[in-house]
Amino acid sequence: MKNLFLCLIFVLASITAFTDSIKPVEFPDQFDTKTAISENTQWLIFSEDKDISDKVNQAIVALKITDVNSLKGAYVADISKMPSLVTSMFALPEMKKYNFKILLDHEGEPTKNWPRQTKKASLIKLTKLEIAEVKYTDSIDEIKKFLQQQMLVKK
């Protein structure tokens, strides 16, 4: 019973560790061009895992999205745990093949309190940087569905 109680406290603490809003911040993309997350940003896809990032990339490519920002959103990848040599020699050249911006958190600090679950993408809806809704998924289909909804809102 004591272990169950400790687990419950840990889960509640980890849930409350996430923020209920996103602070305005600028991130470089894979071409080192800065892009701001601001009050105009209505949604985010956030990943901190390579396999999940690959799924997000596949979903964006499948939907032929070339400008995530024009859909009032952003795709942010926390690459802070990636060794800098791997980032510069392998990851960035691969990311530069995509026609869309991948905003990169190199330090991990700006996104440390963003909603996340291990090995899942965070699909975040925002209202003036306040988090309105969060879904977690490891499914390409769910990511595509989220993006399609954002494409419809844009129209």
Side-chain angles (χ1 to χ4, degrees):
M1 186 63 147
K2 183 177 177 182
N3 288 341
L4 178 62
F5 181 71
L6 290 174
C7 286
L8 181 59
I9 288 175
F10 177 74
V11 168
L12 289 174
S14 66
I15 290 171
T16 57
F18 297 130
T19 186
D20 56 357
S21 65
I22 303 290
K23 292 181 179 162
V25 63
E26 278 190 343
F27 292 105
D29 64 17
Q30 68 268 43
F31 302 103
D32 208 30
T33 303
K34 299 267 186 178
T35 299
I37 304 295
S38 69
E39 286 193 357
N40 295 327
T41 307
Q42 296 179 1
W43 59 270
L44 298 168
I45 295 180
F46 174 64
S47 172
E48 63 176 352
D49 178 87
K50 183 193 180 317
D51 292 334
I52 294 302
S53 290
D54 288 343
K55 290 180 180 184
V56 173
N57 294 338
Q58 290 171 28
I60 293 172
V61 167
L63 294 172
K64 297 181 169 86
I65 298 171
T66 57
D67 187 1
V68 175
N69 196 42
S70 73
L71 300 173
K72 300 182 180 175
Y75 167 30
V76 181
D78 177 353
I79 61 168
S80 62
K81 294 177 183 124
M82 187 182 299
S84 59
L85 186 64
V86 172
T87 301
S88 61
M89 290 187 66
F90 302 105
L92 285 175
E94 188 64 30
M95 289 179 204
K96 288 179 179 178
K97 294 178 183 176
Y98 293 113
N99 293 330
F100 53 88
K101 289 183 179 190
I102 304 170
L103 305 185
L104 304 171
D105 180 358
H106 290 276
E107 294 105 36
E109 186 63 28
T111 62
K112 76 176 183 180
N113 291 325
W114 286 19
R116 66 182 77 211
Q117 284 185 358
T118 304
K119 299 198 182 267
K120 296 201 178 200
S122 301
L123 310 177
I124 305 168
K125 290 188 182 179
L126 300 170
T127 304
K128 294 189 180 205
L129 294 177
E130 296 293 321
I131 296 174
E133 183 180 338
V134 179
K135 291 183 183 177
Y136 304 101
T137 187
D138 60 359
S139 162
I140 293 174
D141 290 335
E142 296 242 353
I143 296 166
K144 284 169 60 175
K145 181 179 174 185
F146 178 80
L147 287 166
Q148 288 168 327
Q149 290 169 347
Q150 307 325 306
M151 292 166 74
L152 290 174
V153 170
K154 165 74 169 78
K155 292 183 178 180

